[in-house]
Amino acid sequence: MKPLTITAVINEYQWDELSKTDQELIQMAKDSTNHSYAPYSKFYVGAAALLNNDVVVCGTNQENAAYPSGLCAERTTLFYANSQYPNQGVKTIAIAARNERGFIDMPIPPCGSCRQVMLETEKRFQQPMRILLYGEKSIYEVKCVGDLLPLSFDAASME
Ligand code: THU
């Protein structure tokens, strides 16, 4: 037996340490939470994707009375971005979430299915997609989706 070690470095920022571009993208994700449709969980998630052509596409979680029919903000955003701009890679995606008390303290961790969809976008455009996870107390920067989803399944796994 030999252990295989997988490491990922995640950078933790305070708001003032972020570039203006990153602050603006996060602000768009935060603002988008106002468009979230989350009457069941009352957990409002917004995402903002900065594309290679510098267009920003925003999306939110969309819930449904039949719970599994709803979709997370990350996937809504990436599917919409890839539908509107099928040839544009995604430079950065920012994600923010709030409940009824306000924005959450710690950076929002994307669910497993969203990580898988984010990975597909990264592979599809063959460029790393940065991820900014907003929390009131700190912001995490993940350099690429591979760091968020190690030992991942993708098209290469089927070869
Ligand atoms: N949600 C997201 O939109 N993104 C995540 O990464 C985690 C969860 C949504 C799904 C559901 O509408 C609500 O948050 C509660 O799970």
Side-chain angles (χ1 to χ4, degrees):
M1 189 280 277
K2 69 172 176 170
L4 302 174
T5 306
I6 303 174
T7 53
V9 175
I10 293 171
N11 294 320
E12 182 177 15
Y13 288 87
Q14 295 306 304
W15 181 259
D16 293 344
E17 298 175 312
L18 293 169
S19 69
K20 199 162 183 319
T21 312
D22 285 350
Q23 284 182 350
E24 283 171 2
L25 197 65
I26 291 171
Q27 192 57 52
M28 292 174 92
K30 290 178 75 176
D31 291 346
S32 294
T33 62
N34 294 319
H35 296 173
S36 159
Y37 178 65
Y40 305 103
S41 70
K42 301 195 187 321
F43 188 63
Y44 309 96
V45 188
L50 175 63
L51 312 185
N52 282 350
N53 60 2
D54 289 327
V55 168
V56 175
V57 169
C58 294
T60 61
N61 55 330
Q62 297 291 314
E63 297 187 348
N64 194 287
Y67 287 10
S69 301
L71 199 64
C72 293
E74 296 89 327
R75 276 177 285 166
T76 304
T77 303
L78 288 178
F79 288 154
Y80 180 65
N82 293 165
S83 300
Q84 290 293 309
Y85 303 96
N87 301 316
Q88 297 296 323
V90 182
K91 290 196 268 199
T92 307
I93 185 167
I95 307 153
R98 61 180 170 82
N99 55 29
E100 289 175 299
R101 293 185 303 280
F103 284 95
I104 56 172
D105 280 346
M106 294 310 292
I108 167 150
C111 80
S113 296
C114 286
R115 291 177 198 218
Q116 188 69 36
V117 167
M118 290 157 108
L119 182 77
E120 189 74 25
T121 303
E122 185 165 275
K123 298 279 176 190
R124 169 179 176 170
F125 296 109
Q126 297 180 325
Q127 71 176 62
M129 179 166 74
R130 281 172 74 234
I131 304 141
L132 295 170
L133 306 174
Y134 179 77
E136 287 276 270
K137 293 201 167 148
S138 62
I139 297 108
Y140 289 167
E141 176 202 44
V142 188
K143 292 264 167 57
C144 62
V145 186
D147 284 353
L148 204 55
L149 190 64
L151 203 66
S152 52
F153 177 85
D154 63 19
S157 312
M158 292 185 282
E159 282 160 11

